[in-house]
Amino acid sequence: MQRRALVLSMISVAGVAACEPVPMRMGEDGRPVPSVYRISDSDAPRIQTRMRDGINTLRSQNGLSQVQLNAQLTSAAATHARDMSFQSRPWHWGSDGSSPMQRTRRAGYRGEFVGELVSETFETETETLNAWMLERETRRVILDPRARELGVAWHQDPNGKLWWAVVLGAPAGTQMAGR
């Protein structure tokens, strides 16, 4: 039953992303041929909104409150996405030894840090969100009932590799009710 709900959630997220499909080439064998998913500066608002909407769809299906984009959390995510590229590894520690909590504070966020999601991939924001939902630890962050705000950012290397970072938080002074 839980697996079926997860599959339905992923289909819903894919439906949100279907608003603007990513072109896909097909090989001679009829299978999709990988292509580089390029993100331009002008795509940023659309990509961030799509990630937020996908997360909110999943949260809504689980009886959780919606999250809103937050500039400070987005700044912390952007800093870390660039730093992961610099380090050539997707992990939660900054090259200066900083933790996700320290980076959110440095970015000026005064709420409660809830969690951070990171990824090194050539996949779209929707594919990345779907992959996060398949893993218990990252799914737990996405569906954390405390979350009310998020930051979404990425860094794209010249070869097209994407370094995704999503940071979730709860504003200072909010009541941390469960579901």
Side-chain angles (χ1 to χ4, degrees), residues 46-116:
R46 182 177 48 83
I47 301 295
Q48 290 171 324
T49 298
R50 197 178 309 183
M51 181 70 86
R52 182 206 59 206
D53 290 350
I55 288 172
N56 279 337
T57 297
L58 295 164
R59 291 177 62 82
S60 176
Q61 291 171 345
N62 285 276
L64 299 168
S65 65
Q66 304 288 285
V67 293
Q68 298 301 318
L69 289 168
N70 175 280
Q72 289 88 19
L73 292 177
T74 296
S75 177
T79 298
H80 192 53
R82 281 188 303 275
D83 192 43
M84 286 189 296
S85 171
F86 172 76
Q87 296 182 71
S88 293
R89 62 177 158 182
W91 72 330
H92 297 285
W93 300 102
S95 58
D96 62 355
S98 63
S99 70
M101 288 79 66
Q102 289 169 322
R103 289 190 298 275
T104 58
R105 289 282 175 243
R106 281 187 205 156
Y109 188 71
R110 297 295 168 234
E112 176 189 1
F113 172 81
V114 172
E116 178 182 71

Side-chain angles (χ1 to χ4, degrees), residues 34-45:
S35 61
V36 175
Y37 178 60
R38 292 274 177 203
I39 302 175
S40 70
D41 290 342
S42 65
D43 292 329

